[in-house]
Amino acid sequence: NVSLNDVKVNGEMSLSESSIVNGKVKINGSLITSSAKFEKPIFITSSKIQLNEGTVTKDIYVIKHSLDPKEEFVYIDNSMVDGNITFESKLGKVILLNGSKISGKVYGGKILIN
């Protein structure tokens, strides 16, 4: 239950319980959220992102790993992306679970609905 401004992480970032990020977000590693809110776009280099239990984000930019390009997965479970999801590698997959929504489009990847 925290409020953060700009965030830069090398490693795993976990947020839960109504945490809010108001500023810029740059992550080089995994992201796991539960009931979190992001006010600005997320820039992330990761093969796995999990947005759970009512998380709300703006645009997500998945930056390709320069040394080892591989498939990147964004799991959205009972959450909302209020914007676009862009996969720089063009190897992205977005998995929508439990009524999750994306208000924009997915670029460089596919949407899979479970």
Side-chain angles (χ1 to χ4, degrees):
N1 198 6
V2 297
S3 181
L4 303 168
N5 286 316
D6 293 350
V7 175
K8 186 174 183 180
V9 175
N10 283 314
E12 181 178 312
M13 180 177 180
S14 295
L15 280 178
S16 62
E17 299 184 23
S18 303
S19 296
I20 298 172
V21 180
N22 297 306
K24 298 175 187 174
V25 180
K26 288 188 177 186
I27 302 169
N28 186 9
S30 61
L31 173 64
I32 301 171
T33 68
S34 175
S35 302
K37 184 173 184 178
F38 293 84
E39 298 286 346
K40 304 262 174 147
I42 297 170
F43 294 85
I44 185 166
T45 303
S46 180
S47 60
K48 186 175 179 184
I49 301 159
Q50 291 179 279
L51 309 177
N52 303 305
E53 298 176 27
T55 293
V56 178
T57 71
K58 297 291 183 189
D59 296 317
I60 299 174
Y61 298 92
V62 183
I63 300 161
K64 76 177 173 182
H65 193 285
S66 60
L67 300 175
D68 185 23
K70 55 186 166 191
E71 283 187 316
E72 297 143 340
F73 295 89
V74 177
Y75 295 90
I76 306 172
D77 188 353
N78 190 29
S79 296
M80 168 76 171
V81 175
D82 189 14
N84 300 321
I85 300 175
T86 304
F87 295 95
E88 187 180 51
S89 70
K90 311 240 184 300
L91 298 172
K93 292 201 168 53
V94 177
I95 294 90
L96 297 177
L97 305 161
N98 297 314
S100 295
K101 296 185 183 194
I102 302 170
S103 69
K105 295 184 178 190
V106 173
Y107 298 99
K110 301 181 205 178
I111 296 175
L112 306 171
I113 300 172
N114 274 355

